Amino acid sequence: MSESFEQLNKYQVDSLHETSEAATPEALDAVHLKYLGRKEGLLTQLLQTLPSLPPDQRKELGRKANEAKRALESALAEKKQSLESARLTKTLSETAEDLTLPGTPLVRGGLHPLTKVEEDIVAVFQRLGFNVAEGPEVETDDNNFTALNHPPDHPARDSHDTFYLKSHKDAAGAPLLLRTHTSPVQIRYMKTHKPPLYIVAPGRVFRHEAVDATHSFVFHQVEGLAVDEGISLADLKGALTLFAREMFGGSAEVRFRPSYFPFVEPGIEVDISCAFCSGKGCRVCKNTGWVEMLGAGLVHPNVLRGVGLDPGKFSGYAFGIGVERVAMFKYGVDDMRLFYENDVRFLRQFR
Ligand code: FA5
């Protein structure tokens, strides 16, 4: 037998042996390259010598070499499949999940308690048919004070320590300010809508005040305004009693005390019977049985006239609820600052 036939036999035996010994798909690729590589492959090169052989040997060697090539190709393919499935089985067994173990709990976010209380307050009035209105946090002096019956130099302006934006002025040249209450939304709404008006306006307000357990320099209010024919204090009391019962429980009562706000007449402060002691007296209500919750009153005729409404025909009530105050009372929290620190251990309790 010629040298080429011996070589072919050797390649055949060696290549099949190396294939069966290969332990990884990469090692198999190396065997493929060694014998069947396009240029350097040993079998490939052997086949390239065919034309130089005598014709009788050429045919025989060609047939055998092609057989050897096919046999090697199918051995490689078979081995490749078995290596890949072994690798897959290994990976799966190493990373297998124990489906009987309890899952990792998903950390669920939640609304901030102040957002929740604000939404709850608004929802009570929406159920009574009130619409939701909004106004900007940067306001004109006119909407925040003058149109609310605080003429310039009126002493009541001093009760709101105001943040002025000195470099930003309104059309009349007065500096803009950060609204000190949500009451300017009343003005904006009355200027753009005709009675009957029933709105609540939630939002942030700003006062240059020292921070303590019951005061912040940024806090939240929900303004209420109803303007219609024949509105009286009895309507205000009815709406606020319903609000108190929805927020704090079925037996809550409201109490009116005279107070002063330039944009209402009469002005009243509204107390709600203490939900913690049912009015008997406790630490939360400082043993009075009542907790002060909001300011309110009947819309002052000057305010109605200022927005073009006839006080002889229309009357209205307005109120401004402190959201932090309601949240503190509802959840028995005795320091407002806890709501702003955003310690998740505190916030988690309200989910
Ligand atoms: C007003 O702001 C009036 N605009 C309310 C009003 C509206 C009266 C409509 C009449 C008609 P007052 O300054 O009292 O009023 O604030 C209302 C509520 O906001 C207070 O009852 C209190 O709950 C809350 N509040 C006031 N100051 C602070 C503060 N510094 N930090 C947190 N809450 C405050």
Side-chain angles (χ1 to χ4, degrees):
M1 208 190 301
S2 81
E3 204 182 314
S4 301
F5 279 92
E6 268 169 39
Q7 210 148 37
L8 176 61
N9 277 343
K10 182 172 162 30
Y11 289 165
Q12 198 164 10
V13 172
D14 288 355
S15 66
L16 291 174
H17 177 70
E18 285 166 34
T19 301
S20 76
E21 291 291 289
T24 62
E26 293 74 26
L28 268 190
D29 287 342
V31 175
H32 185 276
L33 196 68
K34 179 176 172 187
Y35 292 96
L36 301 173
R38 247 172 222 258
K39 282 193 186 141
E40 313 276 305
L42 296 174
L43 272 175
T44 316
Q45 283 179 345
L46 190 70
L47 283 162
Q48 280 164 358
T49 63
L50 284 181
S52 60
L53 293 179
D56 56 329
Q57 286 187 17
R58 192 188 306 160
K59 200 169 165 212
E60 182 64 4
L61 189 73
R63 192 177 56 77
K64 287 200 156 162
N66 275 321
E67 258 174 36
K69 193 177 158 191
R70 275 196 297 277
L72 177 57
E73 277 169 350
S74 78
L76 283 169
E78 207 171 293
K79 180 77 185 198
K80 187 163 192 164
Q81 203 175 22
S82 86
L83 282 178
E84 275 170 358
S85 82
R87 182 179 275 190
L88 183 67
T89 311
K90 185 163 176 276
T91 314
L92 285 177
S93 73
E94 278 169 2
T95 58
E97 300 289 347
D98 180 350
L99 297 180
T100 62
L101 287 176
T104 316
L106 281 180
V107 183
R108 212 161 51 97
L111 290 180
H112 191 280
L114 291 178
T115 308
K116 229 155 108 165
V117 168
E118 188 178 279
E119 288 187 354
D120 288 350
I121 298 172
V122 167
V124 170
F125 290 100
Q126 279 183 308
R127 289 199 287 276
L128 282 176
F130 284 61
N131 291 316
V132 179
E134 283 192 332
E137 291 175 346
V138 174
E139 258 299 0
T140 61
D141 184 275
D142 192 54
N143 284 339
N144 196 79
F145 289 123
T146 313
L148 287 164
N149 204 27
H150 295 70
D153 305 323
H154 191 289
R157 285 177 174 238
D158 294 343
S159 69
H160 294 196
D161 294 300
T162 310
F163 289 110
Y164 287 98
L165 292 130
K166 294 212 171 81
S167 54
H168 293 78
K169 307 215 184 320
D170 64 17
L176 295 176
L177 48 82
L178 296 182
R179 65 179 177 189
T180 58
H181 51 175
T182 43
S183 300
V185 185
Q186 293 184 33
I187 302 301
R188 288 180 175 271
Y189 204 80
M190 285 191 283
K191 278 183 173 166
T192 50
H193 297 78
K194 296 249 163 299
L197 306 174
Y198 291 86
I199 55 154
V200 276
R204 267 198 314 184
V205 302
F206 308 83
R207 290 185 199 176
H208 189 227
E209 277 185 25
V211 172
D212 61 23
T214 53
H215 291 87
S216 171
F217 58 94
V218 184
F219 57 101
H220 300 79
Q221 293 185 335
V222 175
E223 191 78 10
L225 172 72
V227 180
D228 207 338
E229 291 181 30
I231 288 218
S232 72
L233 272 184
D235 298 309
L236 174 60
K237 191 160 187 176
L240 292 178
T241 304
L242 193 118
F243 159 71
R245 292 188 179 167
E246 293 271 311
M247 286 305 284
F248 306 113
S251 56
E253 292 292 340
V254 299
R255 178 173 83 167
F256 284 2
R257 277 183 295 109
S259 185
Y260 175 71
F261 301 97
F263 40 96
V264 284
E265 179 58 38
I268 53 177
E269 240 152 17
V270 183
D271 299 337
I272 294 189
S273 57
C274 181
F276 288 94
C277 61
S278 310
K280 290 189 201 75
C282 68
R283 195 177 58 87
V284 176
C285 60
K286 301 194 182 79
N287 283 319
T288 62
W290 297 93
V291 181
E292 184 204 314
M293 202 64 59
L294 58 126
L298 291 184
V299 182
H300 197 289
N302 286 351
V303 174
L304 292 174
R305 265 190 292 273
V307 293
L309 293 175
D310 175 4
K313 183 171 182 209
F314 294 110
S315 57
Y317 63 72
F319 54 83
I321 304 173
V323 175
E324 281 78 354
R325 183 68 60 91
V326 174
M328 288 171 78
F329 184 54
K330 192 172 163 74
Y331 297 122
V333 173
D334 60 7
D335 194 326
M336 189 178 288
R337 288 168 288 198
L338 289 165
F339 289 117
Y340 306 116
E341 282 164 5
N342 287 329
D343 183 329
V344 287
R345 290 168 301 178
F346 174 75
L347 296 180
R348 245 187 233 131
Q349 304 173 76
F350 302 93
R351 283 217 200 111

